[in-house]
Amino acid sequence: MSLLVKICGLSTPETLETALEAGADMVGFVFFPPSPRHLSLELGRDLGRQVKRRALKVALTVDADDATLDSIMDALSPDIFQLHGGESVARLRDLKQRFGRPVMKAVPVATAADLAVLPGYAAVADRILFDARAPKDATRPGGLGEPFDWHLLEKLDLKLPYMVSGGLHAENLAEALRVTRASGVDVSSGVESAPGVKDPDMIKAFLRAARATQELSVR
């Protein structure tokens, strides 16, 4: 199985083009005002057009209401919705029915107890994204640049495809994949020079490292 690489929080035509040309499988766009990566609907529309089916477009939202999601659907026409809040299993089911799009549910992880929600989400979601649980005083649930204990996923028996996120960068993604056996990786702050500012060289380095890791795993 090929490794899926998602570059999330893209917000300029230049860095989006870098990610696409470097071979990203998924490109993520954040629609959540507290995030430094938040996009206006107008910019989301422009960036979405730039993708031209070269990668899957992922819309990241946090407990968004139907009106907000309708607007995102109209502007970006995402291939996947990434739900990064406290959305319930019933909410996932409703959104899949409403929009006819796959749903990736982010599950914040700090301890083994955080994995108890998996059976419910796995029955509805198309993919799970494991991310580091944010501190209690954080203003947003992800993109904080901190990894979680990957060993919590070592004995994971999940039939659903899953990705790992949280504090990944070019130097540690191989170890993250070795421990978690994930089929994909998702990076945002790990390819930034400052919060919300993507670095083209770091994007390229992350994708090179991901492909090198993939090649080693199939030998």
Side-chain angles (χ1 to χ4, degrees):
M1 183 186 293
S2 61
L3 177 69
L4 287 177
V5 182
K6 175 171 170 272
I7 308 294
C8 196
L10 292 157
S11 59
T12 68
E14 295 77 18
T15 53
L16 172 57
E17 195 61 31
T18 296
L20 292 168
E21 288 186 355
D25 302 290
M26 298 178 173
V27 287
F29 304 103
V30 176
F31 298 93
F32 183 55
S35 171
R37 305 163 188 97
H38 171 66
L39 297 182
S40 67
L41 292 171
E42 292 74 20
L43 182 52
R45 189 185 302 276
D46 290 343
L47 294 176
R49 286 175 176 155
Q50 183 181 338
V51 177
K52 295 178 181 173
R53 309 196 72 80
R54 290 180 285 170
L56 295 175
K57 295 177 291 184
V58 183
L60 187 157
T61 65
V62 180
D63 297 313
D65 59 22
D66 286 353
T68 300
L69 293 170
D70 284 340
S71 297
I72 294 169
M73 187 72 184
D74 178 67
L76 181 67
S77 187
D79 298 293
I80 302 168
F81 278 104
Q82 179 177 328
L83 306 179
H84 231 289
E87 298 90 356
S88 67
V89 173
R91 179 65 170 156
L92 265 66
R93 190 177 290 112
D94 290 345
L95 292 181
K96 286 185 66 171
Q97 187 171 3
R98 181 183 182 94
F99 296 109
R101 291 290 195 273
V103 168
M104 175 160 58
K105 181 68 184 83
V107 173
V109 180
T111 70
D114 291 320
L115 304 180
V117 300
L118 281 177
Y121 285 133
V124 179
D126 298 278
R127 188 178 296 274
I128 297 292
L129 172 68
F130 293 104
D131 196 5
R133 180 175 288 282
K136 284 189 170 63
D137 59 349
T139 58
R140 57 188 196 274
L144 302 170
E146 292 297 325
F148 62 94
D149 181 1
W150 302 320
H151 292 281
L152 291 170
L153 303 184
E154 265 186 314
K155 294 183 170 59
L156 183 67
D157 183 20
L158 187 65
K159 302 296 184 273
L160 210 60
Y162 61 93
M163 305 178 78
V164 289
S165 184
L168 294 180
H169 48 74
E171 287 72 36
N172 69 2
L173 78 88
E175 179 66 6
L177 288 168
R178 185 190 69 78
V179 175
T180 65
R181 297 165 290 113
S183 61
V185 288
D186 182 358
V187 68
S188 186
S189 58
V191 290
E192 290 180 346
S193 56
V197 182
K198 292 289 185 286
D199 183 296
D201 289 335
M202 293 171 77
I203 291 173
K204 293 175 191 174
F206 188 87
L207 279 153
R208 278 197 304 270
R211 298 311 174 206
T213 301
Q214 181 181 343
E215 284 184 20
L216 286 173
S217 68
V218 297
R219 282 180 185 171

